[in-house]
Amino acid sequence: MLQFVQQLVNGLSIGSIYALMAVGYSLVYSIMNFSNFAHGSVIMLGAYFGFFAMRLLGLPFAVAVLVAAAGTALVAVVLERLAYKPLRDRKAPFLYFIITAMGASIFIDNFVIATIGPTPKMYPDVFGQGPIILGDIAIGRVDLAMFAISAVCLAALIVFIDHTRLGKAIQATAYNMKASALMGINPSFVIILVFAIGGALAGIAGVLYGMKYQVFPQIGAITLKSFIAAVFGGLGSLPGALLGALLLGLIETFVSGYLSTQYRDLIAFIILIAMLVVRPSGIMGKSSEDKA
Amino acid sequence: MSPENSQAGSGGAQPILELKGLTKRFGGLTAVNEVSFTVTEGGISGLIGPNGAGKTTVFNLITGVYRVSSGDILFRGRSIANQEPFRIADAGVTRTFQNIRLFKNLSVLDNVLTACHTSARYGLFEAFFRLPIFAREEKALREKAMELLGIMGLAERADIISNNLPYGLQRRLEITRALALDPKLLLLDEPAAGMNPDETIQLMNLIAEIRRKFKLSVLVIEHHMDLIMGICEHIHVLNFGCTLADGQPELVANDPKVVEAYLGAEETE
Amino acid sequence: MEYILGIFELSAINLVAVLGLSILTGFTGLFSFGHAGFMAIGAYLSAILTKNFHLPFVVGILAAGLAAGLVSLLLGRLTLKLKGDYFCIATMGFGEAVRLVFSNWTYVNGARGMASIPKYDDLSLAIPFVTALVAVVVSWNLVNSRQGRNMVAVREEELAAQMAGIDVLRSKMTALVVSAILAGIAGALMANFIGFIAPKTFNMTKSTELTIIVIFGGLGSISGSVVGAFILTALPEVFRAFSDWRLVFYGLAVIVIMVGRPQGLLGGMELTPSGFRKSMAARRARAEFARLKAEGGGAA
């Protein structure tokens, strides 16, 4: 029982990071209908932005998170304007978007390797050493921070999407870009907005993930998990991405706790395949017929 | 609901296509509701109605792009409802699109050649190693494609990338591509869209000619009433997914319900 | 001399895998992040067969192609029916999963990799070249057959392809299986050429590098892939000093190509007399079309 609760806590903590990544990715997908496979590189940049903000500029943690979020939001928007927009303008096929995203990802990752170098870097200690003991359960300080910050960000996002005019504009555009454009919603603005939000969430996720482990150029590879989480929950559905990410985090932690750590990463892939076979539209996705 | 003079003019001719209570629902929206009509073998029928009446949806149901919610589609007496689109095409139902869908970056010849593929009888293995049957069949395919292009007046443009063709010829190429499958029934979705009156008349003659030459039945969606009245022997009118009228052109054109639907539609535009 | 030969050997090996991706991405319009996984399957299988069972190289190559092809058949069945993004994510997951399996498999020495795999000697050094040559001929024949035209139709306009009687799923499956077989064979060639393989050789960067070569050479051009494979394998060897910046340049170039010249070096054009004639005819047609338009829209 004790081990169960312990695993539950760990699972929610890692799941919340996956959620932060998956929600941003899914948000962009819901508007653009394409997977921004450069999302992982933006997360990696976030981890470095946060690291340099604290180590070089000596900023406090909270400010560093904001700096990282602003930096990655900017990167995501620049990427959108320079790489994706020209393709959109000439109605390029889906394939070109995927290839461009791949190119962007390779460029960013290797630019960091070439300039900063591959050596892993450690964040300064912010939350203090030693776990927090609650009864018989030990919670890592960083894990708790991860969960708390992710929860706040996700709650803020949900409030924003559901209860503000801008959020409703995003929803309308996701539902039907042409119709919402006729209603006076500027699609170009909405696209920039979702890239900025997705980028900011990616930056925060990068800082948290870099704190838990280390900062290194390949750190963005973790985003594969968030892609899987998004498919698990239903591509393009925000609640789906959230649920999928938490479930994936929990399943992974339980598998490594009760079976073996070696299988932890493999289980994500097995879930992906199982999901594609049983219910390709995901938990919350709607299996819709596109009107041609 | 069933219109008075439904099968009146068809006489003894065999139906090639029969829609029976065809219905399509998207979520809560019923796009096509209990639509029934027939296209007779060798005939030209028209499918008309205001924008959003569900005409293209009917085409998408016939060709298997959408799944049928209820009802049935019979082609030469056999149900083709919910079959894979390529099987329906192979069975002899081909179509063109309202917004032309060519293989844009391919040459005119390759567009037609691609659609001829079902008449080639060589497998992957023969293709990999260029066995003799490959050369024989490819030669026959090319001849067939060039012959078709000749009939359609596109032969001297065979090497042009189809995207670079003038608009009217793109429509013509799309029809040629549909003919390459040796169809029995040709579905044309607004073939005269964007054409001037001269071109429309040319197109009318072309449709009549290919029907004769290829022994085709034709079902055409059109907004140009002159085109519909000029060539169709039978007309089915849709409004909000439901049948509004069905019968010979003159009868339908004077039907007060049809007149009202069209006038009503114009007012809101 | 040996050094130059080595570069050519590597180019030929890369070419075999690149041809597969050329068919998959360039001709059929599918994108894979996981073909290094198929290479890994081929490489490990050939390594095991030639090292542990002392079987001849050719057996390793054939088994590698067969195994990769069978696995791709399974992957395709599960994922090809779904929208493009699902396929991409599934290939990404597949590639990583294959790498993880080999990293944790003690029989093949896990993450440390397999060493002292039998290497090609002077005579069998011809194997990669012969294989590459066969691969070029077979790929060329495929894309110029009705099956190849069907793949291009699927890439260009899936709905119209269906309406033209093309079994879209089958075309995609053919492209995937052929590309996986070629990737598996390339993996086998690599294992027996270098004599050492490790799971990290077959990471996602390897997959994307192969696709980058296809994009450089031009989507939809077999000769472009051939030229691309030789240039992009040789260049990094020549410019060793800039090796850190190589991938930076690649990534940037991919974006520039997609935004500015999506056809790549030779997109849609082949370096053969008839291919040249065709592209000249197309150029004339474009010029004439532009002239007609300029003269006042007589063409519309």
Side-chain angles (χ1 to χ4, degrees):
Chain A
M1 186 58 205
L2 181 65
Q3 200 197 349
F4 179 84
V5 177
Q6 180 73 57
Q7 301 290 1
L8 193 71
V9 171
N10 294 345
L12 283 176
S13 162
I14 189 74
S16 64
I17 283 282
Y18 291 164
L20 218 45
M21 300 175 186
V23 163
Y25 157 76
S26 217
L27 185 66
V28 169
Y29 183 90
S30 72
I31 301 288
M32 308 283 292
N33 256 313
F34 100 96
S35 291
N36 180 16
F37 285 118
H39 199 59
S41 303
V42 177
I43 288 169
M44 182 267 294
L45 283 181
Y48 275 101
F49 288 161
F51 170 81
F52 286 122
M54 290 180 79
R55 279 282 188 209
L56 288 187
L57 307 178
L59 296 171
F61 173 70
V63 182
V65 170
L66 292 179
V67 167
T72 47
L74 184 68
V75 169
V77 171
V78 168
L79 184 64
E80 197 302 297
R81 288 280 107 178
L82 291 186
Y84 301 144
K85 186 176 182 295
L87 298 180
R88 222 175 33 251
D89 286 347
R90 70 159 196 266
K91 296 193 171 64
F94 163 79
L95 179 67
Y96 290 10
F97 284 89
I98 300 282
I99 292 175
T100 306
M102 175 199 80
S105 176
I106 292 175
F107 171 72
I108 296 173
D109 288 4
N110 289 284
F111 186 79
V112 169
I113 294 176
T115 50
I116 302 174
T119 329
K121 303 193 184 304
M122 289 291 279
Y123 264 85
D125 187 20
V126 176
F127 301 108
Q129 293 295 318
I132 296 166
I133 310 291
L134 282 175
D136 289 326
I137 300 164
I139 306 172
R141 287 169 192 262
V142 175
D143 291 317
L144 189 65
M146 264 164 61
F147 182 76
I149 295 172
S150 302
V152 169
C153 291
L154 291 168
L157 179 72
I158 291 169
V159 170
F160 173 76
I161 295 278
D162 281 345
H163 297 287
T164 65
R165 282 175 57 93
L166 280 179
K168 289 196 168 130
I170 291 177
Q171 282 182 309
T173 308
Y175 186 70
N176 187 334
M177 190 178 282
K178 264 191 203 140
S180 56
L182 291 176
M183 307 287 281
I185 299 172
N186 181 353
S188 218
F189 174 71
V190 170
I191 288 169
I192 291 179
L193 188 65
V194 292
F195 269 94
I197 295 173
L201 293 177
I204 297 168
V207 172
L208 296 175
Y209 197 71
M211 289 197 95
K212 182 166 167 66
Y213 299 101
Q214 284 174 320
V215 189
F216 50 96
Q218 289 82 17
I219 197 176
I222 191 66
T223 327
L224 174 58
K225 299 285 180 58
S226 71
F227 295 156
I228 291 176
V231 171
F232 192 21
L235 267 187
S237 153
L238 294 192
L242 191 61
L243 193 65
L246 290 177
L247 279 175
L248 184 65
L250 284 172
I251 293 170
E252 276 190 5
T253 329
F254 277 100
V255 167
S256 52
Y258 286 101
L259 291 172
S260 143
T261 358
Q262 287 176 350
Y263 296 116
R264 191 192 63 201
D265 293 329
L266 214 49
I267 201 74
F269 180 60
I270 294 168
I271 288 175
L272 172 69
I273 289 291
M275 204 64 198
L276 291 177
V277 176
V278 181
R279 192 179 153 79
S281 49
I283 306 172
M284 312 281 272
K286 47 186 187 294
S287 55
S288 67
E289 218 171 3
D290 290 333
K291 210 163 183 283
Chain B
M1 178 104 289
S2 88
E4 312 87 87
N5 36 16
S6 55
Q7 254 83 50
S10 320
Q14 287 285 320
I16 188 162
L17 180 77
E18 295 170 77
L19 308 189
K20 294 185 167 171
L22 193 61
T23 301
K24 176 66 193 174
R25 284 180 286 269
F26 293 103
L29 175 86
T30 306
V32 174
N33 192 7
E34 293 279 332
V35 168
S36 302
F37 67 89
T38 59
V39 177
T40 51
E41 180 105 50
I44 297 189
S45 299
L47 184 58
I48 64 171
N51 280 331
K55 302 176 302 266
T56 299
T57 307
V58 169
F59 269 26
N60 283 332
L61 289 167
I62 297 173
T63 51
V65 177
Y66 294 158
R67 295 188 65 77
V68 170
S69 301
S70 69
D72 204 357
I73 304 163
L74 301 182
F75 175 63
R76 305 169 98 189
R78 283 221 301 276
S79 174
I80 55 166
N82 294 335
Q83 283 201 11
E84 294 270 5
F86 74 92
R87 290 199 195 287
I88 295 171
D90 271 352
V93 183
T94 62
R95 73 180 282 187
T96 64
F97 293 90
Q98 191 177 340
N99 44 345
I100 308 176
R101 285 175 189 262
L102 290 170
F103 306 129
K104 281 189 292 206
N105 298 312
L106 300 193
S107 71
V108 169
L109 175 63
D110 281 343
N111 264 278
V112 180
L113 213 48
T114 302
C116 285
H117 76 108
T118 35
S119 35
R121 291 180 311 273
Y122 64 82
L124 259 182
F125 187 77
E126 284 97 335
F128 279 144
F129 301 103
R130 293 242 159 146
L131 300 184
I133 187 176
F134 173 86
R136 251 196 338 267
E137 292 282 313
E138 276 291 302
K139 187 159 172 274
L141 279 190
R142 266 161 216 279
E143 278 164 9
K144 180 183 170 183
M146 283 312 293
E147 191 192 332
L148 260 178
L149 287 173
I151 293 172
M152 299 294 281
L154 287 165
E156 67 271 35
R157 291 181 163 86
D159 283 335
I160 294 179
I161 299 298
S162 62
N163 202 29
N164 294 338
L165 280 181
Y167 183 78
L169 292 186
Q170 289 195 16
R171 286 235 173 256
R172 198 177 268 246
L173 176 58
E174 209 190 13
I175 297 176
T176 317
R177 187 179 66 188
L179 291 174
L181 280 108
D182 299 319
K184 302 284 177 289
L185 174 65
L186 182 61
L187 309 179
L188 300 172
D189 196 344
E190 297 201 25
M195 287 188 172
N196 61 35
D198 273 356
E199 288 171 324
T200 308
I201 291 171
Q202 270 183 27
L203 181 77
M204 274 168 62
N205 295 335
L206 182 72
I207 294 173
E209 193 187 319
I210 58 176
R211 171 174 73 136
R212 222 180 33 249
K213 223 170 229 160
F214 297 92
K215 301 191 177 60
L216 282 176
S217 316
V218 180
L219 177 61
V220 53
I221 293 178
E222 197 39 84
H223 273 306
H224 285 58
M225 284 311 275
D226 353 340
L227 186 123
I228 285 283
M229 292 299 161
I231 61 172
C232 290
E233 293 144 4
H234 190 96
I235 289 178
H236 192 87
V237 190
L238 288 181
N239 195 20
F240 297 115
C242 298
T243 297
L244 196 64
D246 182 293
Q248 288 164 335
E250 314 80 61
L251 293 173
V252 168
N254 297 322
D255 189 319
K257 281 183 295 187
V258 176
V259 175
E260 188 196 348
Y262 266 86
L263 288 178
E266 257 161 44
E267 265 169 33
T268 54
E269 266 174 7
Chain C
M1 190 58 216
E2 200 156 291
Y3 173 68
I4 306 238
L5 181 70
I7 292 178
F8 273 101
E9 291 276 348
L10 271 181
S11 305
I13 293 169
N14 270 338
L15 173 58
V16 174
V18 165
L19 284 170
L21 284 169
S22 185
I23 291 168
L24 185 76
T25 307
F27 285 88
T28 319
L30 290 172
F31 190 89
S32 165
F33 283 106
H35 266 53
F38 293 118
M39 279 186 88
I41 290 172
Y44 272 95
L45 190 56
S46 181
I48 292 168
L49 291 178
T50 53
K51 184 185 175 189
N52 299 6
F53 295 90
H54 311 291
L55 290 168
F57 293 129
V58 177
V59 176
I61 291 171
L62 293 178
L66 189 70
L70 286 176
V71 173
S72 72
L73 207 61
L74 195 68
L75 185 70
R77 271 197 84 95
L78 296 174
T79 56
L80 278 179
K81 252 190 204 160
L82 306 165
K83 276 214 292 190
D85 295 85
Y86 288 92
F87 179 74
C88 289
I89 294 169
T91 55
M92 205 183 273
F94 165 76
E96 289 297 291
V98 170
R99 206 167 54 78
L100 279 171
V101 167
F102 286 121
S103 304
N104 288 309
W105 193 11
T106 43
Y107 179 70
V108 295
N109 220 6
R112 276 164 297 158
M114 268 178 100
S116 28
I117 302 163
K119 288 171 75 167
Y120 298 126
D121 54 25
D122 286 347
L123 200 63
S124 49
L125 265 179
I127 291 178
F129 291 116
V130 175
T131 313
L133 196 66
V134 172
V136 169
V137 170
V138 165
S139 307
W140 175 266
N141 287 349
L142 174 65
V143 302
N144 286 295
S145 70
R146 74 186 177 102
Q147 287 86 357
R149 281 193 298 269
N150 289 0
M151 289 171 186
V152 174
V154 169
R155 178 195 74 192
E156 288 286 302
E157 184 71 66
E158 207 170 307
L159 189 59
Q162 287 182 328
M163 296 297 117
I166 292 168
D167 185 344
V168 169
L169 193 59
R170 195 191 164 117
S171 281
K172 287 181 176 175
M173 188 68 100
T174 308
L176 176 64
V177 173
V178 170
S179 69
I181 290 174
L182 288 173
I185 290 175
L189 295 173
M190 205 164 119
N192 293 115
F193 174 68
I194 300 175
F196 169 77
I197 48 172
K200 68 168 191 294
T201 316
F202 305 101
N203 56 12
M204 201 157 47
T205 312
K206 181 75 195 170
S207 293
T208 44
E209 270 196 75
L210 295 172
T211 306
I212 287 174
I213 296 178
V214 176
I215 296 161
F216 264 100
L219 296 172
S221 165
I222 293 289
S223 34
S225 296
V226 176
V227 174
F230 278 89
I231 292 180
L232 287 201
T233 313
L235 269 189
E237 297 294 328
V238 180
F239 297 103
R240 270 279 160 89
F242 301 98
S243 63
D244 272 356
W245 288 89
R246 180 177 62 105
L247 286 168
V248 180
F249 167 71
Y250 280 9
L252 196 60
V254 165
I255 302 176
V256 171
I257 289 175
M258 281 299 114
V259 171
R261 187 181 158 81
Q263 63 271 44
L265 204 56
L266 291 171
M269 183 184 151
E270 296 291 0
L271 285 177
T272 60
S274 79
F276 188 66
R277 241 189 351 263
K278 259 192 186 171
S279 71
M280 289 311 285
R283 182 166 296 183
R284 270 199 307 278
R286 263 203 304 279
E288 171 149 343
F289 187 47
R291 190 175 56 82
L292 283 173
K293 239 183 176 171
E295 276 174 13

